PDB file of all heavy atoms in Angstrom:
ATOM      1  N   ARG A 221       6.986  -4.900  13.530  1.00 59.00           N
ATOM      2  CA  ARG A 221       6.689  -6.169  14.216  1.00 59.00           C
ATOM      3  C   ARG A 221       5.328  -6.153  14.972  1.00 59.00           C
ATOM      4  O   ARG A 221       4.896  -7.209  15.573  1.00 59.00           O
ATOM      5  CB  ARG A 221       7.863  -6.446  15.156  1.00 59.00           C
ATOM      6  CG  ARG A 221       9.082  -7.006  14.485  1.00 59.00           C
ATOM      7  CD  ARG A 221       9.983  -7.811  15.400  1.00 59.00           C
ATOM      8  NE  ARG A 221      10.898  -8.552  14.601  1.00 59.00           N
ATOM      9  CZ  ARG A 221      10.769  -9.813  14.140  1.00 59.00           C
ATOM     10  NH1 ARG A 221       9.782 -10.353  14.200  1.00 59.00           N
ATOM     11  NH2 ARG A 221      11.835 -10.361  13.506  1.00 59.00           N
ATOM     12  N   GLN A 222       4.796  -5.014  14.955  1.00 65.00           N
ATOM     13  CA  GLN A 222       3.377  -4.880  15.644  1.00 65.00           C
ATOM     14  C   GLN A 222       2.411  -5.663  15.008  1.00 65.00           C
ATOM     15  O   GLN A 222       2.351  -5.744  13.696  1.00 65.00           O
ATOM     16  CB  GLN A 222       2.984  -3.430  15.829  1.00 65.00           C
ATOM     17  CG  GLN A 222       3.905  -2.538  16.552  1.00 65.00           C
ATOM     18  CD  GLN A 222       3.997  -2.781  18.050  1.00 65.00           C
ATOM     19  OE1 GLN A 222       2.950  -3.200  18.663  1.00 65.00           O
ATOM     20  NE2 GLN A 222       5.088  -2.717  18.627  1.00 65.00           N
ATOM     21  N   PRO A 223       1.511  -6.457  15.744  1.00 66.00           N
ATOM     22  CA  PRO A 223       0.543  -7.314  15.152  1.00 66.00           C
ATOM     23  C   PRO A 223      -0.367  -6.545  14.177  1.00 66.00           C
ATOM     24  O   PRO A 223      -0.957  -7.102  13.294  1.00 66.00           O
ATOM     25  CB  PRO A 223      -0.280  -7.777  16.363  1.00 66.00           C
ATOM     26  CG  PRO A 223       0.694  -7.656  17.535  1.00 66.00           C
ATOM     27  CD  PRO A 223       1.571  -6.506  17.169  1.00 66.00           C
ATOM     28  N   ASP A 224      -0.547  -5.248  14.428  1.00 67.00           N
ATOM     29  CA  ASP A 224      -1.621  -4.570  13.683  1.00 67.00           C
ATOM     30  C   ASP A 224      -0.858  -3.621  12.448  1.00 67.00           C
ATOM     31  O   ASP A 224      -1.553  -2.881  11.749  1.00 67.00           O
ATOM     32  CB  ASP A 224      -2.489  -3.650  14.461  1.00 67.00           C
ATOM     33  CG  ASP A 224      -1.643  -2.644  15.215  1.00 67.00           C
ATOM     34  OD1 ASP A 224      -0.382  -2.747  15.366  1.00 67.00           O
ATOM     35  OD2 ASP A 224      -2.246  -1.564  15.666  1.00 67.00           O
ATOM     36  N   ASP A 225       0.339  -3.809  12.310  1.00 64.00           N
ATOM     37  CA  ASP A 225       1.033  -2.874  11.340  1.00 64.00           C
ATOM     38  C   ASP A 225       1.059  -3.475   9.940  1.00 64.00           C
ATOM     39  O   ASP A 225       0.462  -2.814   9.037  1.00 64.00           O
ATOM     40  CB  ASP A 225       2.594  -2.682  11.762  1.00 64.00           C
ATOM     41  CG  ASP A 225       3.251  -1.685  10.898  1.00 64.00           C
ATOM     42  OD1 ASP A 225       3.060  -0.469  11.048  1.00 64.00           O
ATOM     43  OD2 ASP A 225       4.086  -2.118   9.938  1.00 64.00           O
ATOM     44  N   HIS A 226       1.630  -4.635   9.689  1.00 68.00           N
ATOM     45  CA  HIS A 226       1.672  -5.307   8.335  1.00 68.00           C
ATOM     46  C   HIS A 226       2.117  -4.464   7.232  1.00 68.00           C
ATOM     47  O   HIS A 226       1.781  -4.710   6.063  1.00 68.00           O
ATOM     48  CB  HIS A 226       0.238  -5.768   8.009  1.00 68.00           C
ATOM     49  CG  HIS A 226      -0.459  -6.720   9.084  1.00 68.00           C
ATOM     50  ND1 HIS A 226      -0.018  -7.911   9.371  1.00 68.00           N
ATOM     51  CD2 HIS A 226      -1.308  -6.377  10.013  1.00 68.00           C
ATOM     52  CE1 HIS A 226      -0.680  -8.449  10.323  1.00 68.00           C
ATOM     53  NE2 HIS A 226      -1.556  -7.450  10.682  1.00 68.00           N
ATOM     54  N   ARG A 227       3.226  -3.632   7.447  1.00 65.00           N
ATOM     55  CA  ARG A 227       3.718  -2.779   6.398  1.00 65.00           C
ATOM     56  C   ARG A 227       4.439  -3.678   5.375  1.00 65.00           C
ATOM     57  O   ARG A 227       4.673  -3.219   4.225  1.00 65.00           O
ATOM     58  CB  ARG A 227       4.621  -1.664   6.971  1.00 65.00           C
ATOM     59  CG  ARG A 227       5.914  -2.183   7.462  1.00 65.00           C
ATOM     60  CD  ARG A 227       6.680  -0.984   8.187  1.00 65.00           C
ATOM     61  NE  ARG A 227       5.822  -0.175   8.968  1.00 65.00           N
ATOM     62  CZ  ARG A 227       5.516   1.130   8.699  1.00 65.00           C
ATOM     63  NH1 ARG A 227       6.067   1.701   7.651  1.00 65.00           N
ATOM     64  NH2 ARG A 227       4.740   1.889   9.519  1.00 65.00           N
ATOM     65  N   HIS A 228       4.755  -4.825   5.743  1.00 75.00           N
ATOM     66  CA  HIS A 228       5.573  -5.697   4.816  1.00 75.00           C
ATOM     67  C   HIS A 228       4.630  -6.362   3.804  1.00 75.00           C
ATOM     68  O   HIS A 228       5.081  -6.881   2.718  1.00 75.00           O
ATOM     69  CB  HIS A 228       6.067  -6.919   5.560  1.00 75.00           C
ATOM     70  CG  HIS A 228       5.270  -7.718   6.301  1.00 75.00           C
ATOM     71  ND1 HIS A 228       4.589  -7.392   7.376  1.00 75.00           N
ATOM     72  CD2 HIS A 228       4.715  -8.980   5.932  1.00 75.00           C
ATOM     73  CE1 HIS A 228       3.735  -8.382   7.734  1.00 75.00           C
ATOM     74  NE2 HIS A 228       3.753  -9.382   6.925  1.00 75.00           N
ATOM     75  N   LEU A 229       3.364  -6.283   3.851  1.00 78.00           N
ATOM     76  CA  LEU A 229       2.415  -6.890   2.946  1.00 78.00           C
ATOM     77  C   LEU A 229       2.150  -5.955   1.658  1.00 78.00           C
ATOM     78  O   LEU A 229       2.132  -4.717   1.973  1.00 78.00           O
ATOM     79  CB  LEU A 229       1.029  -7.254   3.613  1.00 78.00           C
ATOM     80  CG  LEU A 229       1.166  -8.273   4.717  1.00 78.00           C
ATOM     81  CD1 LEU A 229      -0.293  -8.302   5.421  1.00 78.00           C
ATOM     82  CD2 LEU A 229       1.570  -9.556   4.136  1.00 78.00           C
ATOM     83  N   PRO A 230       2.020  -6.573   0.650  1.00 82.00           N
ATOM     84  CA  PRO A 230       1.744  -5.670  -0.578  1.00 82.00           C
ATOM     85  C   PRO A 230       0.517  -4.827  -0.470  1.00 82.00           C
ATOM     86  O   PRO A 230       0.467  -3.754  -1.060  1.00 82.00           O
ATOM     87  CB  PRO A 230       1.420  -6.851  -1.744  1.00 82.00           C
ATOM     88  CG  PRO A 230       2.152  -8.063  -1.215  1.00 82.00           C
ATOM     89  CD  PRO A 230       2.096  -8.002   0.249  1.00 82.00           C
ATOM     90  N   LYS A 231      -0.569  -5.310   0.244  1.00 85.00           N
ATOM     91  CA  LYS A 231      -1.761  -4.450   0.351  1.00 85.00           C
ATOM     92  C   LYS A 231      -1.426  -3.312   1.164  1.00 85.00           C
ATOM     93  O   LYS A 231      -2.432  -2.272   1.188  1.00 85.00           O
ATOM     94  CB  LYS A 231      -2.927  -5.307   0.900  1.00 85.00           C
ATOM     95  CG  LYS A 231      -2.757  -5.746   2.333  1.00 85.00           C
ATOM     96  CD  LYS A 231      -3.890  -6.544   2.982  1.00 85.00           C
ATOM     97  CE  LYS A 231      -3.787  -6.830   4.338  1.00 85.00           C
ATOM     98  NZ  LYS A 231      -4.883  -7.552   4.871  1.00 85.00           N
ATOM     99  N   ASN A 232      -0.378  -3.156   1.897  1.00 88.00           N
ATOM    100  CA  ASN A 232      -0.046  -1.952   2.664  1.00 88.00           C
ATOM    101  C   ASN A 232       1.154  -1.299   2.041  1.00 88.00           C
ATOM    102  O   ASN A 232       1.051  -0.018   1.793  1.00 88.00           O
ATOM    103  CB  ASN A 232       0.241  -2.383   4.038  1.00 88.00           C
ATOM    104  CG  ASN A 232      -0.988  -2.821   4.802  1.00 88.00           C
ATOM    105  OD1 ASN A 232      -2.048  -2.425   4.521  1.00 88.00           O
ATOM    106  ND2 ASN A 232      -0.735  -3.763   5.748  1.00 88.00           N
ATOM    107  N   GLY A 233       2.267  -1.885   1.852  1.00 91.00           N
ATOM    108  CA  GLY A 233       3.409  -1.288   1.316  1.00 91.00           C
ATOM    109  C   GLY A 233       3.204  -0.734  -0.126  1.00 91.00           C
ATOM    110  O   GLY A 233       3.546   0.407  -0.371  1.00 91.00           O
ATOM    111  N   LEU A 234       2.689  -1.641  -1.115  1.00 93.00           N
ATOM    112  CA  LEU A 234       2.520  -0.980  -2.470  1.00 93.00           C
ATOM    113  C   LEU A 234       1.485  -0.031  -2.474  1.00 93.00           C
ATOM    114  O   LEU A 234       1.529   0.955  -3.271  1.00 93.00           O
ATOM    115  CB  LEU A 234       2.051  -2.192  -3.351  1.00 93.00           C
ATOM    116  CG  LEU A 234       3.169  -3.254  -3.639  1.00 93.00           C
ATOM    117  CD1 LEU A 234       2.645  -4.391  -4.513  1.00 93.00           C
ATOM    118  CD2 LEU A 234       4.375  -2.644  -4.388  1.00 93.00           C
ATOM    119  N   LEU A 235       0.342  -0.278  -1.728  1.00 92.00           N
ATOM    120  CA  LEU A 235      -0.739   0.748  -1.605  1.00 92.00           C
ATOM    121  C   LEU A 235      -0.142   2.165  -1.139  1.00 92.00           C
ATOM    122  O   LEU A 235      -0.410   3.260  -1.825  1.00 92.00           O
ATOM    123  CB  LEU A 235      -1.756   0.395  -0.609  1.00 92.00           C
ATOM    124  CG  LEU A 235      -3.139   0.784  -0.977  1.00 92.00           C
ATOM    125  CD1 LEU A 235      -3.643   0.117  -2.126  1.00 92.00           C
ATOM    126  CD2 LEU A 235      -3.900   0.405   0.361  1.00 92.00           C
ATOM    127  N   GLN A 236       0.624   2.208  -0.181  1.00 92.00           N
ATOM    128  CA  GLN A 236       1.185   3.475   0.294  1.00 92.00           C
ATOM    129  C   GLN A 236       2.139   4.155  -0.726  1.00 92.00           C
ATOM    130  O   GLN A 236       2.069   5.246  -0.921  1.00 92.00           O
ATOM    131  CB  GLN A 236       1.988   3.232   1.575  1.00 92.00           C
ATOM    132  CG  GLN A 236       2.420   4.660   2.161  1.00 92.00           C
ATOM    133  CD  GLN A 236       3.026   4.545   3.550  1.00 92.00           C
ATOM    134  OE1 GLN A 236       2.679   3.630   4.254  1.00 92.00           O
ATOM    135  NE2 GLN A 236       3.865   5.493   3.959  1.00 92.00           N
ATOM    136  N   ILE A 237       2.998   3.389  -1.393  1.00 96.00           N
ATOM    137  CA  ILE A 237       3.923   3.920  -2.353  1.00 96.00           C
ATOM    138  C   ILE A 237       3.078   4.480  -3.457  1.00 96.00           C
ATOM    139  O   ILE A 237       3.388   5.638  -3.840  1.00 96.00           O
ATOM    140  CB  ILE A 237       4.982   2.844  -2.826  1.00 96.00           C
ATOM    141  CG1 ILE A 237       5.979   2.586  -1.680  1.00 96.00           C
ATOM    142  CG2 ILE A 237       5.654   3.337  -4.031  1.00 96.00           C
ATOM    143  CD1 ILE A 237       6.695   1.351  -1.902  1.00 96.00           C
ATOM    144  N   VAL A 238       2.209   3.730  -4.030  1.00 96.00           N
ATOM    145  CA  VAL A 238       1.531   4.169  -5.258  1.00 96.00           C
ATOM    146  C   VAL A 238       0.644   5.272  -4.884  1.00 96.00           C
ATOM    147  O   VAL A 238       0.512   6.320  -5.633  1.00 96.00           O
ATOM    148  CB  VAL A 238       0.665   3.040  -5.868  1.00 96.00           C
ATOM    149  CG1 VAL A 238      -0.260   3.527  -6.955  1.00 96.00           C
ATOM    150  CG2 VAL A 238       1.700   2.007  -6.379  1.00 96.00           C
ATOM    151  N   ASN A 239      -0.088   5.381  -3.811  1.00 95.00           N
ATOM    152  CA  ASN A 239      -0.898   6.419  -3.520  1.00 95.00           C
ATOM    153  C   ASN A 239      -0.224   7.637  -2.978  1.00 95.00           C
ATOM    154  O   ASN A 239      -0.760   8.781  -3.076  1.00 95.00           O
ATOM    155  CB  ASN A 239      -1.980   5.929  -2.326  1.00 95.00           C
ATOM    156  CG  ASN A 239      -2.954   5.107  -2.988  1.00 95.00           C
ATOM    157  OD1 ASN A 239      -3.199   4.992  -4.159  1.00 95.00           O
ATOM    158  ND2 ASN A 239      -3.669   4.127  -2.125  1.00 95.00           N
ATOM    159  N   THR A 240       1.099   7.671  -2.492  1.00 96.00           N
ATOM    160  CA  THR A 240       1.734   8.754  -2.317  1.00 96.00           C
ATOM    161  C   THR A 240       2.131   9.443  -3.649  1.00 96.00           C
ATOM    162  O   THR A 240       1.977  10.692  -3.767  1.00 96.00           O
ATOM    163  CB  THR A 240       3.246   8.395  -1.641  1.00 96.00           C
ATOM    164  OG1 THR A 240       2.920   7.790  -0.349  1.00 96.00           O
ATOM    165  CG2 THR A 240       4.081   9.590  -1.497  1.00 96.00           C
ATOM    166  N   LEU A 241       2.329   8.676  -4.659  1.00 97.00           N
ATOM    167  CA  LEU A 241       2.486   9.184  -6.011  1.00 97.00           C
ATOM    168  C   LEU A 241       1.269   9.759  -6.584  1.00 97.00           C
ATOM    169  O   LEU A 241       1.244  10.781  -7.250  1.00 97.00           O
ATOM    170  CB  LEU A 241       3.167   8.161  -6.906  1.00 97.00           C
ATOM    171  CG  LEU A 241       4.671   7.746  -6.514  1.00 97.00           C
ATOM    172  CD1 LEU A 241       4.945   6.523  -7.219  1.00 97.00           C
ATOM    173  CD2 LEU A 241       5.648   8.904  -6.844  1.00 97.00           C
ATOM    174  N   ALA A 242       0.157   9.047  -6.339  1.00 96.00           N
ATOM    175  CA  ALA A 242      -1.192   9.442  -6.865  1.00 96.00           C
ATOM    176  C   ALA A 242      -1.495  10.839  -6.201  1.00 96.00           C
ATOM    177  O   ALA A 242      -2.038  11.785  -6.795  1.00 96.00           O
ATOM    178  CB  ALA A 242      -2.249   8.441  -6.537  1.00 96.00           C
ATOM    179  N   PHE A 243      -1.232  10.938  -4.978  1.00 96.00           N
ATOM    180  CA  PHE A 243      -1.443  12.190  -4.260  1.00 96.00           C
ATOM    181  C   PHE A 243      -0.705  13.413  -4.918  1.00 96.00           C
ATOM    182  O   PHE A 243      -1.214  14.524  -4.907  1.00 96.00           O
ATOM    183  CB  PHE A 243      -1.115  12.113  -2.663  1.00 96.00           C
ATOM    184  CG  PHE A 243      -1.357  13.370  -1.960  1.00 96.00           C
ATOM    185  CD1 PHE A 243      -2.529  13.820  -1.577  1.00 96.00           C
ATOM    186  CD2 PHE A 243      -0.142  14.233  -1.516  1.00 96.00           C
ATOM    187  CE1 PHE A 243      -2.784  14.954  -0.820  1.00 96.00           C
ATOM    188  CE2 PHE A 243      -0.423  15.276  -0.785  1.00 96.00           C
ATOM    189  CZ  PHE A 243      -1.568  15.663  -0.495  1.00 96.00           C
ATOM    190  N   ARG A 244       0.353  13.109  -5.356  1.00 95.00           N
ATOM    191  CA  ARG A 244       1.244  14.135  -6.184  1.00 95.00           C
ATOM    192  C   ARG A 244       0.721  14.314  -7.595  1.00 95.00           C
ATOM    193  O   ARG A 244       1.274  15.230  -8.255  1.00 95.00           O
ATOM    194  CB  ARG A 244       2.642  13.797  -6.271  1.00 95.00           C
ATOM    195  CG  ARG A 244       3.277  13.745  -4.846  1.00 95.00           C
ATOM    196  CD  ARG A 244       4.766  13.369  -5.040  1.00 95.00           C
ATOM    197  NE  ARG A 244       5.339  12.846  -3.666  1.00 95.00           N
ATOM    198  CZ  ARG A 244       6.395  12.267  -3.495  1.00 95.00           C
ATOM    199  NH1 ARG A 244       7.034  11.773  -4.644  1.00 95.00           N
ATOM    200  NH2 ARG A 244       6.869  11.927  -2.363  1.00 95.00           N
ATOM    201  N   GLY A 245      -0.302  13.603  -7.966  1.00 94.00           N
ATOM    202  CA  GLY A 245      -0.878  13.809  -9.353  1.00 94.00           C
ATOM    203  C   GLY A 245      -0.119  13.113 -10.508  1.00 94.00           C
ATOM    204  O   GLY A 245      -0.343  13.494 -11.660  1.00 94.00           O
ATOM    205  N   VAL A 246       0.756  12.158 -10.136  1.00 94.00           N
ATOM    206  CA  VAL A 246       1.462  11.459 -11.272  1.00 94.00           C
ATOM    207  C   VAL A 246       0.930  10.089 -11.798  1.00 94.00           C
ATOM    208  O   VAL A 246       1.455   9.404 -12.713  1.00 94.00           O
ATOM    209  CB  VAL A 246       3.087  11.393 -10.911  1.00 94.00           C
ATOM    210  CG1 VAL A 246       3.572  12.783 -10.742  1.00 94.00           C
ATOM    211  CG2 VAL A 246       3.278  10.645  -9.614  1.00 94.00           C
ATOM    212  N   CYS A 247      -0.035   9.644 -10.948  1.00 95.00           N
ATOM    213  CA  CYS A 247      -0.742   8.379 -11.398  1.00 95.00           C
ATOM    214  C   CYS A 247      -2.063   8.271 -10.794  1.00 95.00           C
ATOM    215  O   CYS A 247      -2.361   9.121  -9.974  1.00 95.00           O
ATOM    216  CB  CYS A 247       0.206   7.206 -11.069  1.00 95.00           C
ATOM    217  SG  CYS A 247       0.422   6.810  -9.364  1.00 95.00           S
ATOM    218  N   ASP A 248      -2.787   7.187 -11.126  1.00 95.00           N
ATOM    219  CA  ASP A 248      -4.061   7.030 -10.571  1.00 95.00           C
ATOM    220  C   ASP A 248      -3.905   6.330  -9.078  1.00 95.00           C
ATOM    221  O   ASP A 248      -2.810   5.714  -8.911  1.00 95.00           O
ATOM    222  CB  ASP A 248      -4.946   6.102 -11.331  1.00 95.00           C
ATOM    223  CG  ASP A 248      -5.424   6.796 -12.659  1.00 95.00           C
ATOM    224  OD1 ASP A 248      -5.496   8.101 -12.696  1.00 95.00           O
ATOM    225  OD2 ASP A 248      -5.656   6.056 -13.643  1.00 95.00           O
ATOM    226  N   VAL A 249      -4.955   6.474  -8.337  1.00 93.00           N
ATOM    227  CA  VAL A 249      -4.887   5.780  -7.049  1.00 93.00           C
ATOM    228  C   VAL A 249      -4.931   4.281  -7.115  1.00 93.00           C
ATOM    229  O   VAL A 249      -5.405   3.774  -8.072  1.00 93.00           O
ATOM    230  CB  VAL A 249      -5.868   6.332  -6.038  1.00 93.00           C
ATOM    231  CG1 VAL A 249      -5.718   7.780  -5.701  1.00 93.00           C
ATOM    232  CG2 VAL A 249      -7.294   6.024  -6.464  1.00 93.00           C
ATOM    233  N   LEU A 250      -4.448   3.598  -5.987  1.00 88.00           N
ATOM    234  CA  LEU A 250      -4.654   2.154  -5.927  1.00 88.00           C
ATOM    235  C   LEU A 250      -5.589   1.986  -4.770  1.00 88.00           C
ATOM    236  O   LEU A 250      -5.215   2.330  -3.506  1.00 88.00           O
ATOM    237  CB  LEU A 250      -3.228   1.607  -5.685  1.00 88.00           C
ATOM    238  CG  LEU A 250      -3.043   0.032  -5.758  1.00 88.00           C
ATOM    239  CD1 LEU A 250      -3.574  -0.436  -7.112  1.00 88.00           C
ATOM    240  CD2 LEU A 250      -1.620  -0.238  -5.590  1.00 88.00           C
ATOM    241  N   LEU A 251      -6.614   1.376  -5.072  1.00 84.00           N
ATOM    242  CA  LEU A 251      -7.728   1.220  -4.138  1.00 84.00           C
ATOM    243  C   LEU A 251      -7.494   0.033  -3.174  1.00 84.00           C
ATOM    244  O   LEU A 251      -7.069  -0.996  -3.614  1.00 84.00           O
ATOM    245  CB  LEU A 251      -9.013   1.235  -4.602  1.00 84.00           C
ATOM    246  CG  LEU A 251      -9.534   2.355  -5.359  1.00 84.00           C
ATOM    247  CD1 LEU A 251     -10.864   2.067  -6.091  1.00 84.00           C
ATOM    248  CD2 LEU A 251      -9.676   3.574  -4.529  1.00 84.00           C
ATOM    249  N   PRO A 252      -7.781   0.054  -1.830  1.00 80.00           N
ATOM    250  CA  PRO A 252      -7.662  -1.077  -0.897  1.00 80.00           C
ATOM    251  C   PRO A 252      -8.521  -2.192  -1.458  1.00 80.00           C
ATOM    252  O   PRO A 252      -9.483  -1.906  -2.038  1.00 80.00           O
ATOM    253  CB  PRO A 252      -8.007  -0.511   0.486  1.00 80.00           C
ATOM    254  CG  PRO A 252      -8.038   0.927   0.339  1.00 80.00           C
ATOM    255  CD  PRO A 252      -8.090   1.332  -1.083  1.00 80.00           C
ATOM    256  N   GLY A 253      -8.081  -3.399  -1.250  1.00 75.00           N
ATOM    257  CA  GLY A 253      -8.925  -4.523  -1.678  1.00 75.00           C
ATOM    258  C   GLY A 253      -8.839  -4.816  -3.172  1.00 75.00           C
ATOM    259  O   GLY A 253      -9.733  -5.487  -3.606  1.00 75.00           O
ATOM    260  N   THR A 254      -7.917  -4.228  -3.811  1.00 61.00           N
ATOM    261  CA  THR A 254      -7.661  -4.506  -5.264  1.00 61.00           C
ATOM    262  C   THR A 254      -7.145  -5.880  -5.508  1.00 61.00           C
ATOM    263  O   THR A 254      -5.953  -6.147  -5.835  1.00 61.00           O
ATOM    264  CB  THR A 254      -6.750  -3.487  -5.794  1.00 61.00           C
ATOM    265  OG1 THR A 254      -7.170  -2.253  -5.438  1.00 61.00           O
ATOM    266  CG2 THR A 254      -6.788  -3.657  -7.347  1.00 61.00           C
ATOM    267  N   GLY A 255      -7.979  -6.854  -5.470  1.00 66.00           N
ATOM    268  CA  GLY A 255      -7.518  -8.302  -5.818  1.00 66.00           C
ATOM    269  C   GLY A 255      -6.609  -8.975  -4.809  1.00 66.00           C
ATOM    270  O   GLY A 255      -6.228  -8.370  -3.858  1.00 66.00           O
ATOM    271  N   ASP A 256      -5.984 -10.067  -5.322  1.00 86.00           N
ATOM    272  CA  ASP A 256      -4.993 -10.761  -4.547  1.00 86.00           C
ATOM    273  C   ASP A 256      -3.600 -10.080  -4.569  1.00 86.00           C
ATOM    274  O   ASP A 256      -3.554  -9.032  -5.373  1.00 86.00           O
ATOM    275  CB  ASP A 256      -4.952 -12.172  -4.856  1.00 86.00           C
ATOM    276  CG  ASP A 256      -4.448 -12.472  -6.468  1.00 86.00           C
ATOM    277  OD1 ASP A 256      -3.980 -11.523  -7.016  1.00 86.00           O
ATOM    278  OD2 ASP A 256      -4.886 -13.474  -6.864  1.00 86.00           O
ATOM    279  N   GLU A 257      -2.605 -10.499  -3.976  1.00 89.00           N
ATOM    280  CA  GLU A 257      -1.353  -9.877  -3.954  1.00 89.00           C
ATOM    281  C   GLU A 257      -0.681  -9.856  -5.314  1.00 89.00           C
ATOM    282  O   GLU A 257      -0.119  -8.877  -5.618  1.00 89.00           O
ATOM    283  CB  GLU A 257      -0.468 -10.691  -2.918  1.00 89.00           C
ATOM    284  CG  GLU A 257       0.666 -11.459  -3.319  1.00 89.00           C
ATOM    285  CD  GLU A 257       1.326 -12.135  -2.174  1.00 89.00           C
ATOM    286  OE1 GLU A 257       1.118 -11.973  -1.090  1.00 89.00           O
ATOM    287  OE2 GLU A 257       2.125 -13.042  -2.601  1.00 89.00           O
ATOM    288  N   GLN A 258      -0.834 -10.839  -6.139  1.00 90.00           N
ATOM    289  CA  GLN A 258      -0.430 -10.808  -7.515  1.00 90.00           C
ATOM    290  C   GLN A 258      -1.136  -9.774  -8.422  1.00 90.00           C
ATOM    291  O   GLN A 258      -0.466  -9.035  -9.215  1.00 90.00           O
ATOM    292  CB  GLN A 258      -0.333 -12.212  -8.207  1.00 90.00           C
ATOM    293  CG  GLN A 258       0.717 -13.136  -7.648  1.00 90.00           C
ATOM    294  CD  GLN A 258       2.128 -12.649  -7.783  1.00 90.00           C
ATOM    295  OE1 GLN A 258       2.501 -12.173  -8.844  1.00 90.00           O
ATOM    296  NE2 GLN A 258       2.691 -12.737  -6.640  1.00 90.00           N
TER     297      GLN A 258
END
C-alpha cells in the first residue's frame, strides 16, 4: 500500500518473477520498460 511500492503492477511483479528465474539461468531477463502491460 506504500505509494512508491507498486508491486501489484505487471512492470514490477512480472519483472521480479521472471528476473528471479533469469538469475538462476533458466530464461532470459525481462528488461524494465518493455512495452505496455499487455
Side-chain angles (χ1 to χ4, degrees):
R221 287 201 166 271
Q222 297 293 327
D224 61 343
D225 186 79
H226 304 290
R227 70 183 47 247
H228 64 284
L229 295 175
K231 69 180 182 178
N232 294 325
L234 290 175
L235 211 69
Q236 183 171 336
I237 290 168
V238 170
N239 287 342
T240 296
L241 293 164
F243 179 75
R244 295 180 194 161
V246 296
C247 68
D248 292 335
V249 297
L250 191 55
L251 298 174
T254 307
D256 62 21
E257 110 188 346
Q258 287 303 312

